[in-house]
Amino acid sequence: MSALGDDQVVPSAWATERFGKHAGKLGVAVPAQLSQAHRRAHAVHLTARLKKRSPYGATLAEAVRENLADAARGLDETVRDVRGYEYAVINDHALFPFKYADRPRPLVRARLASNASPTRRRMLLGHGPQPQEGLFPLDDDLTTEEYEELHETFEALGASTKLVCVFFTADPENGIHAIHWGDAHLEPDRTFTWLYSEQLPVAPQPLV
C-alpha cells in the first residue's frame, strides 16, 4: 500500500473487495490502533513489575480488540459482542486480531495456542475462508451442547460475516514487530493456511 494522505493509503484490490470505501482508512487505522494498544499494555507491564507471567499479553489482546472496535465506530460501522468481547465488523468483515509470537517470526510459522478459547476456534472455523462443512446440520437429533455453543458464536458475529485475520508479533520492550492481514484457514494441527496475506506498516510507538 502507498500513502494517499488524510490518514489513508492506496488499498490493494483485496482490501477494497473486503472493506469497500473504508479500505484506505483501515490500512492506516489498524497499525495505529495496534500501536496505541501496545502503549496501554506496556504501561500495565511497567506497573506490575513482574518478570514472569507478565500481564502484557492479556492486556494487549484486549486493548487491540477495543481499539479496533473504536475504529469501526469511528467509521460508522458495526461492533459485535461475542461472549463478552467486542469485534470490529466493517462491510460485513470482522477483524480477528491475534498475536502469534512474542518475537519476530515468519507468518507461515503462526500457530493457534493449544489453550486457545473454544470461541476463537469457532470463529475461525465458522467464519473463515473455508467454513467447516456441515457446521449446522438440520436434523435436531444431532444437536449437542457443543453445537449450540458453536451456533451461538456464529450468530453473534453474524451468519454472513467473514473473518479478516490481523496477525502480529510484539513484546513489551520492542512493541509491535510486524503486522499482516488476510484470509487464513485454521488447520486441524492449529497451523494456518493463508489464501491471501499482505503486510501492513508498523506505526510509530512512542511510549511517552
Side-chain angles (χ1 to χ4, degrees):
M1 294 185 178
S2 59
L4 188 65
D6 296 326
D7 295 326
Q8 59 180 315
V9 295
V10 178
S12 65
W14 171 88
T16 300
E17 181 180 351
R18 277 143 188 80
F19 303 119
K21 64 181 180 180
H22 297 310
K25 292 181 179 179
L26 279 174
V28 173
V30 168
Q33 296 298 344
L34 264 64
S35 174
Q36 292 181 18
H38 164 67
R39 290 199 294 271
R40 293 172 61 186
H42 183 264
V44 173
H45 170 74
L46 293 180
T47 300
R49 297 182 179 180
L50 297 175
K51 293 183 179 180
K52 295 183 178 180
R53 298 189 181 276
S54 167
Y56 174 80
T59 303
L60 180 64
E62 184 58 25
V64 168
R65 277 192 295 263
E66 289 183 357
N67 287 9
L68 292 178
D70 288 343
R73 293 187 181 96
L75 296 172
D76 292 324
E77 289 287 337
T78 305
V79 174
R80 296 209 173 99
D81 183 287
V82 180
R83 293 188 173 272
Y85 296 103
E86 291 185 333
Y87 285 90
V89 180
I90 298 95
N91 195 37
D92 216 19
H93 285 79
L95 297 179
F96 183 88
F98 174 53
K99 181 173 78 71
Y100 67 90
D102 57 8
R103 60 183 182 275
R105 177 173 289 186
L107 182 63
V108 293
R109 296 184 62 187
R111 189 173 188 177
L112 193 67
S114 59
N115 63 348
S117 72
T119 297
R120 291 173 72 79
R121 292 173 182 264
R122 292 173 193 131
M123 290 175 68
L124 287 162
L125 291 173
H127 298 274
Q130 297 174 340
Q132 181 176 314
E133 293 184 6
L135 192 61
F136 306 119
L138 299 178
D139 189 344
D140 289 340
D141 292 337
L142 299 179
T143 298
T144 63
E145 181 178 352
E146 182 179 9
Y147 165 90
E148 291 297 338
E149 291 178 352
L150 182 59
H151 190 272
E152 287 175 10
T153 300
F154 186 80
E155 292 297 334
L157 197 58
S160 64
T161 303
K162 294 296 183 181
L163 286 193
V164 168
C165 289
V166 180
F167 280 30
F168 59 97
T169 61
D171 71 73
E173 290 74 26
N174 300 297
I176 309 296
H177 312 135
I179 308 169
H180 305 264
W181 67 358
D183 301 323
H185 174 68
L186 177 64
E187 300 292 348
D189 64 356
R190 296 182 283 110
T191 60
F192 293 89
T193 297
W194 290 86
L195 281 68
Y196 180 87
S197 69
E198 58 186 40
Q199 189 165 356
L200 296 175
V202 175
Q205 302 172 80
L207 297 178
V208 294

